[in-house]
Amino acid sequence: MDAYQRCAGRSRHHSPLNWLSALLALLPSLASTPAVHWSGVLGKIDHARAAALAAADTTLLGRVYARGSTGAELDAAAIRAYAERGGRVTGADLTLLSCRVEDSSGRRVALVVVDRLAAAKVVWADGSSRVLQRDLPTKHHITLVRTPGGWRIG
């Protein structure tokens, strides 16, 4: 008996229920890959970053970056620049297109990711807004570090 027969109920008939059974049998193994795990971690970090930008609150970047991170400095400067002109960035979520673990240890994980910025916009104090330019899929090398508060971008 092959793997398909085990997953699909011992029949080679291609009914929707057999395919569904096979898919459900495979899901746990797909969901437990390192890339899927780290994609989820990055998704939570990205959500925290988007919240910091939308609130124009640099203190929220502590949930995104490890202390001393260059990325934190760049995002904080962008938040301040928009806030000084009465703006804040909303919708700055990233769509993760791929994630590959390059190296890992108990305290650090090096990832190679390709992501794309969603349709972000600047909302001004008077209620008007301006859509920011969409970017193309971009490759990044990201190092996550374990901190007392959880995983952060190094």
Side-chain angles (χ1 to χ4, degrees):
M1 176 183 323
D2 65 20
Y4 176 83
Q5 288 172 321
R6 283 191 302 275
C7 291
R10 298 188 171 109
S11 173
R12 286 254 179 218
H13 299 289
H14 299 295
S15 74
L17 288 179
N18 288 345
W19 282 105
L20 179 60
S21 296
L23 178 62
L24 290 174
L26 291 173
L27 280 178
S29 65
L30 293 174
S32 63
T33 66
V36 170
H37 169 76
W38 293 112
S39 294
V41 171
L42 278 177
K44 290 176 185 173
I45 291 171
D46 174 55
H47 183 72
R49 180 178 179 264
L53 291 165
D57 185 348
T58 60
T59 64
L60 296 177
L61 293 174
R63 299 183 323 185
V64 178
Y65 296 102
R67 189 177 310 253
S69 169
T70 303
E73 295 169 16
L74 295 172
D75 275 355
I79 288 171
R80 284 191 297 271
Y82 280 114
E84 287 168 2
R85 298 185 331 239
R88 59 190 179 85
V89 178
T90 64
D93 294 299
L94 292 170
T95 300
L96 190 61
L97 303 173
S98 69
C99 177
R100 180 173 55 84
V101 178
E102 195 169 53
D103 189 32
S104 68
S105 70
R107 306 231 9 106
R108 290 186 159 313
V109 178
L111 303 172
V112 178
V113 302
V114 176
D115 60 25
R116 182 174 185 185
L117 182 64
K121 64 182 179 180
V122 178
V123 178
W124 302 105
D126 66 3
S128 65
S129 64
R130 179 178 56 100
V131 175
L132 296 174
Q133 182 176 354
R134 291 277 311 235
D135 78 333
L136 297 173
T138 307
K139 182 178 179 179
H140 303 279
H141 293 264
I142 298 174
T143 300
L144 298 179
V145 295
R146 186 185 299 253
T147 71
W151 290 98
R152 303 292 187 262
I153 297 173

